[in-house]
Amino acid sequence: MLEPPRPTDAELAILRVLRRRGASTVKDAHEELARSSPTGYTTTLKQLQIMAEKGLVTRNESQRAHLYVARCPEEQTQTQLVGDLLDRAFDGSAARLVQRALSSRPASPEELAEIRQWLDQLEGETK
Amino acid sequence: MLEPPRPTDAELAILRVLRRRGASTVKDAHEELARSSPTGYTTTLKQLQIMAEKGLVTRNESQRAHLYVARCPEEQTQTQLVGDLLDRAFDGSAARLVQRALSSRPASPEELAEIRQWLDQLEGETK
DNA sequence: ACTTGTCAACGAAGAGTTTCGTAGATGGCG
DNA sequence: CGCCATCTACGAAACTCTTCGTTGACAAGT
């Protein structure tokens, strides 16, 4: 279990829900998911079972309705996905990726300020 | 041909080669690809055929050895992929994505300066 | 006990991706 | 012409992802 493969689209959607709700039964997770994209109950169940096998979520079986929890923090998932994209499509250039991100979505002044703060912090470390 | 689905891993690898080499025969593209991940000649051929169907590459059949060219500029692919990732895993927050990108790969001071330049330019536009 | 509702488990189907073996077309060369 | 190398075309197999129908277990109510 060294290299977690990157989560698929459906898996990311489920992780989003689990992180927002905390420990959830299949029923609860499914109801939330079905709001944005209607799908069968057993579909969500199957996804969660697979994700448990993969180690993306942990399962508490002490109750009849099992409880699922996201296993890794959102930060880790995000860092992994970004690093992956960096390698696959940006030749490792973080600067280029940032450029594309900012041109893809017009960021608010607040966001720009936040980013600037990050740059300050990083440059401070380098010195 | 409204919404091009995001390119798969294999497709991205091929687009990388085509953009570096320019118009290429299957043979040439395959030889370059096989260096990093050994695979059969017909595999590359099939990929290029599928990509031609999808419109990711164009094919010049005037010579016996067809010539393939990447159809969309790298910039467009990158913008699309980043926008996609933004939606799927970052709740649309470009600032968060930038943060993760910078913590995922230690960026060089030059890159940081480049990013800072971009921020200046964007803020200038807003005013 | 019987029925009903809720739940996990299982299996399978359909789509998309990736790989490759084989066949068919073409051009050059003896 | 007939042989050989090269290249595309075709089809199928293996794999993953996603979805869902069905089954069986279990608990609560009648």
Side-chain angles (χ1 to χ4, degrees):
Chain A
M1 206 183 288
L2 282 177
E3 278 291 329
R6 71 168 168 252
T8 65
D9 287 1
E11 287 168 351
L12 279 177
I14 288 186
L15 286 177
R16 249 199 317 271
V17 170
L18 288 187
R19 286 181 180 128
R20 183 152 16 106
R21 300 192 75 266
S24 308
T25 63
V26 176
K27 178 190 171 80
D28 289 339
H30 171 247
E31 277 173 3
E32 182 127 355
L33 280 172
R35 263 195 271 285
S36 44
S37 68
T39 180
Y41 168 89
T42 51
T43 298
T44 303
L45 169 64
K46 184 64 160 184
Q47 288 289 358
L48 282 168
Q49 286 171 348
I50 293 176
M51 290 170 74
E53 276 176 24
K54 290 185 184 175
L56 286 174
V57 299
T58 49
R59 176 169 52 184
N60 179 335
E61 313 184 4
S62 65
Q63 302 301 114
R64 185 155 115 80
H66 299 178
L67 287 179
Y68 290 85
V69 189
R71 197 158 180 277
C72 53
E74 185 175 42
E75 174 188 337
Q76 182 181 322
T77 303
Q78 291 179 339
T79 302
Q80 186 206 336
L81 286 171
V82 147
D84 186 74
L85 186 61
L86 225 32
D87 290 334
R88 284 187 305 136
F90 288 87
D91 204 30
S93 161
R96 196 85 57 91
L97 183 140
V98 170
Q99 177 186 346
R100 297 288 181 251
L102 294 181
S103 66
S104 162
R105 294 282 185 289
S108 68
E110 290 78 17
E111 281 188 303
L112 294 183
E114 222 181 300
I115 294 172
R116 206 176 279 277
Q117 216 169 334
W118 257 95
L119 288 181
D120 292 342
Q121 190 173 332
L122 281 178
E123 288 192 343
E125 285 172 5
T126 313
K127 281 177 185 169
Chain B
M1 204 184 289
L2 282 177
E3 278 291 329
R6 69 171 173 257
T8 65
D9 286 2
E11 286 169 349
L12 278 177
I14 287 185
L15 285 177
R16 249 199 318 271
V17 170
L18 288 188
R19 286 182 180 127
R20 184 151 17 106
R21 298 192 76 263
S24 308
T25 63
V26 177
K27 179 189 170 78
D28 289 339
H30 169 64
E31 276 173 3
E32 183 125 355
L33 280 171
R35 262 196 271 285
S36 43
S37 67
T39 180
Y41 170 89
T42 51
T43 298
T44 303
L45 169 63
K46 184 63 160 184
Q47 290 287 357
L48 282 168
Q49 286 172 348
I50 292 175
M51 290 168 75
E53 278 176 24
K54 290 186 185 175
L56 286 174
V57 299
T58 48
R59 176 170 50 186
N60 181 335
E61 313 185 2
S62 65
Q63 303 299 116
R64 185 154 115 81
H66 300 178
L67 286 179
Y68 291 86
V69 188
R71 196 159 181 276
C72 53
E74 185 175 43
E75 174 188 338
Q76 182 181 323
T77 304
Q78 291 179 338
T79 302
Q80 185 205 338
L81 286 172
V82 141
D84 186 73
L85 186 60
L86 225 33
D87 290 333
R88 284 188 305 133
F90 287 88
D91 204 30
S93 161
R96 197 85 58 89
L97 183 139
V98 170
Q99 177 185 346
R100 298 288 181 250
L102 294 181
S103 65
S104 163
R105 294 282 185 289
S108 68
E110 290 79 17
E111 280 188 303
L112 293 184
E114 222 180 301
I115 294 172
R116 206 176 280 277
Q117 215 170 335
W118 256 94
L119 289 180
D120 292 341
Q121 189 173 332
L122 282 178
E123 290 192 342
E125 285 172 6
T126 312
K127 281 175 187 171

